[in-house]
Amino acid sequence: MNIAISNTSEKPIYQQLFEQISAQILKGELESGFGLPPIRHAATELQVSIITVKKAWEELERCGLIYTVTGKGCFVTPLSPDEMLQKRNEMISKQMAIDASYYKSFGLTIEEVYELMKEVY
């Protein structure tokens, strides 16, 4: 598990954790059954609050990407390739809806957004 936290990012740290771990799960880098580090250990390693890590782990579980076994820890949920694709698309669509609303507030057309996206991507 490879995590890079940015203290200068506008995104909250729990969101950075959630996004990076969920991406690793959905790309198959963290395989089914992989055990996430205990919350306290992850917080110490990343030099962040236990509450921050707990919030990220809870969000991962809420999305069905991990599950908890009492007394043993949190593990990556076994997902079929179709389920992984569906979850990935759901997460991307949710973010795109937020982004689209922001772009619309500037009066951008889809073509303008597309051109800007090509430059950035």
Side-chain angles (χ1 to χ4, degrees):
M1 197 167 74
N2 188 16
I3 303 292
I5 299 297
S6 171
N7 291 319
T8 59
S9 173
E10 291 181 15
K11 288 186 180 180
I13 294 173
Y14 85 90
Q15 186 70 31
Q16 294 178 50
L17 286 170
F18 169 77
E19 288 178 1
Q20 291 179 48
I21 294 171
S22 61
Q24 290 176 33
I25 292 170
L26 294 173
K27 289 191 293 185
E29 294 172 6
L30 299 179
E31 295 183 4
S32 172
F34 175 83
L36 271 61
I39 291 171
R40 290 180 194 277
H41 178 76
T44 301
E45 285 290 313
L46 296 169
Q47 298 180 337
V48 298
S49 133
I50 291 169
I51 294 167
T52 298
V53 176
K54 186 176 187 317
K55 192 169 182 179
W57 270 222
E58 287 172 347
E59 185 69 12
L60 289 163
E61 188 163 25
R62 188 186 66 72
C63 290
L65 296 173
I66 67 170
Y67 64 95
T68 301
V69 176
T70 305
K72 295 197 179 209
C74 297
F75 302 89
V76 173
T77 301
L79 298 169
S80 71
D82 286 342
E83 290 171 317
M84 288 174 69
L85 181 62
Q86 180 182 357
K87 285 195 180 292
R88 184 197 73 178
N89 289 348
E90 286 172 6
M91 292 173 72
I92 290 170
S93 292
K94 182 179 175 184
Q95 184 61 49
M96 289 176 88
I98 294 166
D99 295 342
S101 176
Y102 179 72
Y103 304 143
K104 285 178 185 177
S105 73
F106 285 96
L108 294 174
T109 66
I110 189 71
E111 292 79 15
E112 291 170 319
V113 171
Y114 178 71
E115 288 303 317
L116 288 168
M117 183 59 75
K118 283 191 335 188
E119 287 177 27
V120 173
Y121 200 75

